[in-house]
Amino acid sequence: MRAMESSVGGLLGGLNSGVVLSLIAVLWTVVWQNLQHLQLQHFFKRHIGRHARRLSALVDPYLSVTVAEYDGGGRMRRAEAYEEVKAYLADTTSRDARHLRAEGAKDADRLVLSMVDGEEVADVLLPEEGGGTVFWWAYSKPPPGQQQDRRWGGGGGGGDQDNHRFYRLFFLDRHRDVVLNTYLPRVRREGRAVMVKNRRRKLSTNISTHQFTDAGFMRTAWTHVPFEHPKTFATLAMDPARKKEIVDDLDTFKNGKDYYARVGKAWKRGYLLHGPPGTGKSAMIAAMANHLDYDIYDIELTSVSSNTDLRRLFIETTSKSIIVIEDIDCSLDLTGTRTKKTDDKPPKVDGDGRKGAAADTSSKVTLSGLLNFIDGLWSACGGERIIVFTTNYLEKLDPALIRRGRMDKHIEMSYCGAPAFEFLARTYLGVEDHELFADVGALLQEVDMTPADVAENLTPKSADDDADSCLRGLVAALEKAKEDKANGRGKDKQPDEDEGQVVIAQDQE
């Protein structure tokens, strides 16, 4: 009996132990799940990390701010802050650097100096900012194995890998507020002022529609040369009243930032220059750029393969610029009917004689893509831009392309009249009045002659030419043109309907 009781007791004890262990397991599972839900491990990690940061601050009390060459999401162009810091350091601290990089400046005899890779310079606060506090700027690029890392290069865009550079500012933790709220804003302001002072205006053109390299980084689609065209409104042959109207319009636009913001319009303006060849459309663009102190971007539409590439070109332009498409009637098939032309020519073939899409290298820019370029959503990316179209044949352009709001101001560049002739005579010959002025003015009412042709006749060809001989030569040229007109000779040959046209994909109605 005792043996039986002992066996039963052991069995019950075992069962009780099993139940207890099971309860413990269940409870532990519940507690562990709740611990995971509360993420206590992250709490301990943060707690430990906080102490680690405090310890590292005792060893290295410096903080840093990195100004990357390209913004985190900006794959199209350099960050403005980077350019401003570069200009500020070039102007204020380059004298302390041991190794410098030289670039051309606005003044052809000067150089703009900037830091090379690995260089460090010191800067201090102004007296009104606290004075005496030393900050350190370093210029560098990511290590080779980290050039595609966003935290180094700024988002994986904007240029070749080797060009993903950055400026880094080092300062003490106790100076955080003065650096972020006072010092860095001043650096940007002064940097912008230096950029204006040293700015060398550029004439840019698009050279490629292949925007991305094999590594996925975008190369710039623009190439540029210094813009040094001498034409100004003071030397532009045009009726003085019309010239003043254009200058006043340009000045109003340049000073109209607040106005455009108030009415809710992108800060841009379109100009359509139309008229016969030789009437000074290109000279007008140069005079506009010199008057406004703007860069020029000259777009060759036939080398733009798609609407996407056209947008990229626009995004890469800077503010304070004139975007030009010359002879747009010869670059696009923009007739008033907007009908798609049929092509009866045999299909293009590749080098092996096969048909295929690879053989089609024509542009796919459409009318809607061009309209979005002018006044769509993408046209508001940036500000203070002027868009200029030129054409010899206004009637060939689609009315939707040249309506107000897209091409806001239409400027007719006409044949030379008496006021323009008198201006040219003063400019080229230095004469205010002459007995032949009346004859020239009368002939110009009967004969169409461009300002370029008038100027050529007024240009002395030898040391013996004077004002009298040049004016008599102009009268003779005008009389000959009048005689040719009377005899039906000398009329300008009108181009065939398709002569000089590059047929580019049109939108369907």
Side-chain angles (χ1 to χ4, degrees), residues 321-369:
S321 61
I322 299 177
I323 302 169
V324 179
I325 301 179
E326 292 197 271
D327 297 322
I328 192 171
D329 54 287
C330 296
S331 299
L332 290 174
D333 180 19
L334 298 174
T335 62
T337 58
R338 292 200 223 178
T339 55
K340 185 175 181 178
K341 290 194 173 184
T342 58
D343 190 357
D344 297 330
K345 297 179 182 180
K348 295 182 180 181
V349 296
D350 58 20
D352 297 328
R354 297 188 305 251
K355 298 179 182 179
D360 184 8
T361 59
S362 61
S363 175
K364 296 298 186 295
V365 174
T366 64
L367 177 60
S368 67

Side-chain angles (χ1 to χ4, degrees), residues 67-68 71 78-86 167 187-188:
V67 183
D71 290 330
R78 276 183 170 179
E80 293 180 356
Y82 176 89
E83 296 286 4
E84 291 160 358
V85 170
K86 177 182 177 181
Y167 289 95
V187 167
R188 295 196 64 177

Side-chain angles (χ1 to χ4, degrees), residues 184-394:
L184 285 179
R186 175 174 64 83
V187 167
R188 295 196 64 177
R189 288 194 303 271
E190 294 187 10
R192 286 192 291 269
V194 173
M195 289 170 64
V196 172
K197 180 181 68 174
N198 293 332
R199 178 169 168 262
R200 193 176 188 183
R201 289 191 298 133
K202 298 177 292 186
L203 171 61
S204 302
T205 184
N206 54 309
I207 58 172
S208 173
T209 57
H210 301 287
Q211 302 290 332
F212 292 90
T213 67
D214 293 337
F217 293 91
M218 196 182 88
R219 298 179 185 272
T220 180
W222 296 102
T223 185
H224 67 267
V225 296
F227 179 69
E228 298 173 343
H229 200 291
K231 181 60 69 177
T232 64
F233 280 107
T235 60
L236 184 67
M238 177 178 280
D239 181 273
R242 293 183 61 233
K243 187 189 302 186
K244 183 179 184 304
E245 176 188 346
I246 296 170
V247 170
D248 290 344
D249 189 82
L250 292 171
D251 289 338
T252 301
F253 168 79
K254 186 174 183 179
N255 300 320
K257 181 179 180 180
D258 293 338
Y259 168 78
Y260 280 88
R262 179 169 60 83
V263 301
K265 292 176 60 177
W267 191 11
K268 64 174 186 60
R269 188 161 176 81
Y271 288 79
L272 176 67
L273 309 183
H274 62 94
T279 51
K281 294 183 286 294
S282 296
M284 169 65 77
I285 295 171
M288 293 168 67
N290 284 324
H291 179 74
L292 296 170
D293 197 28
Y294 283 6
D295 295 325
I296 293 180
Y297 292 89
D298 185 15
I299 297 181
E300 176 53 56
L301 277 182
T302 56
S303 67
V304 182
S305 63
S306 66
N307 293 337
T308 300
D309 287 330
L310 186 62
R311 285 194 295 269
R312 284 200 193 101
L313 285 171
F314 185 81
I315 291 172
E316 280 198 62
T317 63
T318 61
S319 60
K320 298 184 183 296
S321 61
I322 299 177
I323 302 169
V324 179
I325 301 179
E326 292 197 271
D327 297 322
I328 192 171
D329 54 287
C330 296
S331 299
L332 290 174
D333 180 19
L334 298 174
T335 62
T337 58
R338 292 200 223 178
T339 55
K340 185 175 181 178
K341 290 194 173 184
T342 58
D343 190 357
D344 297 330
K345 297 179 182 180
K348 295 182 180 181
V349 296
D350 58 20
D352 297 328
R354 297 188 305 251
K355 298 179 182 179
D360 184 8
T361 59
S362 61
S363 175
K364 296 298 186 295
V365 174
T366 64
L367 177 60
S368 67
L370 188 60
L371 297 182
N372 286 330
F373 166 83
I374 301 171
D375 68 349
L377 292 175
W378 289 96
S379 68
C381 297
E384 200 171 355
R385 290 184 177 93
I386 286 177
I387 301 174
V388 177
F389 290 168
T390 72
T391 180
N392 296 332
Y393 306 101
L394 180 63

Side-chain angles (χ1 to χ4, degrees), residues 151-163:
R151 64 191 176 92
W152 289 97
D160 295 334
Q161 295 182 34
D162 292 340
N163 291 331

Side-chain angles (χ1 to χ4, degrees), residues 472-483:
R472 293 188 185 282
L474 175 59
V475 170
L478 287 169
E479 289 177 342
K480 184 178 185 306
K482 180 180 177 180
E483 180 182 351

